[in-house]
Amino acid sequence: MMRLTFPRVVMVLTGALLLTYAFAIAPTTTSERRSGAATAEAKAPRPRGPFPPAEKTFIGVMTDKGPHDFTPVDSFTAAAKRSPQVMLFSEGWASATFDRTLFDRIRDRGMMPMLGWEPWDYRLDERARQQKLTAQEIDRIRSDQPSYRLSRIAGGEFDSYVRSWAEGIKSLGYPVAIRFAHEMNGYWYPWCELVNGNEPGDYVKAWRHVQDVFRAAGATNVAWVWSPNVRYTDLTPAISTYYPGDDYVDWVGVTGYYGKYDFAPYLSFDEVFKKTITEIRTFSKKPMVITETGASDHIGRKAEWIKDAFQTLPRYPFIIGLIWFEVNKELDWRIVSSPAVSTAFADAVAAPRYQVTWSPDVFLRTKD
């Protein structure tokens, strides 16, 4: 017969407690942990999308105030009777540093930020305009900026600056678009290969280098938007010569306006865009965005042009967005320019095709 001593009693009680924990308490705790993990997983935000959905086209806006002042956006929204889903704003390399608040202000209004990222000193252009120089003189001054020559960008001289933006955009945690060095086929910007001491092939090298810096920084929440201007003449180089390749482009864009032309009193949406769109589609099948457009009313046909434009868009199912230039600059491109124009725009974007919602948890559609 085993004599019960105090040490043995302690051992027995300890063993009993351990068995009780193993068979009763521990399974409950583990179950609670698993349940809690499952709940946390269920609550974790999952990407919604794609943006925009198939057979939909988003409406965007660009103003001269950008996210610094939303008054023009509010006026645009009231006239359109709906909120835009994308806001394009510009920042120039000479003075702009990454500022998260600009992106968050746009996000907080339910719009995706699209950064027009411009490697130049835009202040030279502003000063030239203030001096009331001719258009030719302004173009010469703004395009002659050797400090921002494409070879310097491709050569890494701006890498620390580019990296600071890459790290900042990565930290946003939601998708944005970047339209880098747009209208590269025009002679009015210093990143055109026809001016500023640039050489053929320099644009593609610069584009790829900038994007490689972003990739190295892990900034993968970006849709890269390559955006030439419409071609008005065949005398300029083929647009394909500036294309960085599908591996470096998510959306292709195109800029074009119905304004005041010397050679035609009126140009329809197709007359402005079709030739260039057709050319681009020969070398890229990426989704397309009309990255800038607007219409003037110099002969009283602005409302007609808007109606025609939005009736024409569905013929191009690969066009996933249109950004309106809501600015009174040189000509009044705004939809608030008259009640008739506002009504035409509101009626057009009321169609189901343009009923789109953006939110920070979407993923961006990068295929047709």
Side-chain angles (χ1 to χ4, degrees), residues 231-242:
R231 279 224 284 170
Y232 292 111
T233 172
D234 292 333
L235 298 178
T236 57
I239 299 177
S240 60
T241 62
Y242 305 109

Side-chain angles (χ1 to χ4, degrees), residues 81-151:
K81 298 182 180 178
R82 62 164 301 143
S83 298
Q85 301 91 43
V86 172
M87 183 175 187
L88 172 62
F89 71 104
S90 298
E91 294 290 337
W93 283 22
S95 59
T97 56
F98 177 77
D99 183 354
R100 181 186 178 114
T101 60
L102 300 180
F103 292 84
D104 286 348
R105 287 173 187 165
I106 297 173
R107 175 206 61 187
D108 292 344
R109 283 176 163 253
M111 299 182 290
M112 184 186 75
M114 181 184 289
L115 169 66
W117 211 27
E118 304 175 353
W120 70 324
D121 187 349
Y122 69 91
R123 295 169 297 191
L124 298 179
D125 174 73
E126 289 185 343
R127 286 196 288 268
R129 293 180 186 278
Q130 290 170 359
Q131 296 170 13
K132 300 188 182 303
L133 301 178
T134 66
Q136 291 78 10
E137 290 172 324
I138 292 172
D139 286 339
R140 179 183 57 79
I141 290 171
R142 59 188 277 158
S143 64
D144 183 24
Q145 299 191 32
S147 297
Y148 294 94
R149 194 164 286 159
L150 289 169
S151 59

Side-chain angles (χ1 to χ4, degrees), residues 25-26 30 47 51 67-68 73 83 85 97 234 236 255 296 319 357-358:
I25 300 174
T30 303
F51 176 82
H68 301 280
V73 176
S83 298
Q85 301 91 43
T97 56
D234 292 333
T236 57
T255 294
S296 71
I319 294 180
T357 300
W358 179 85

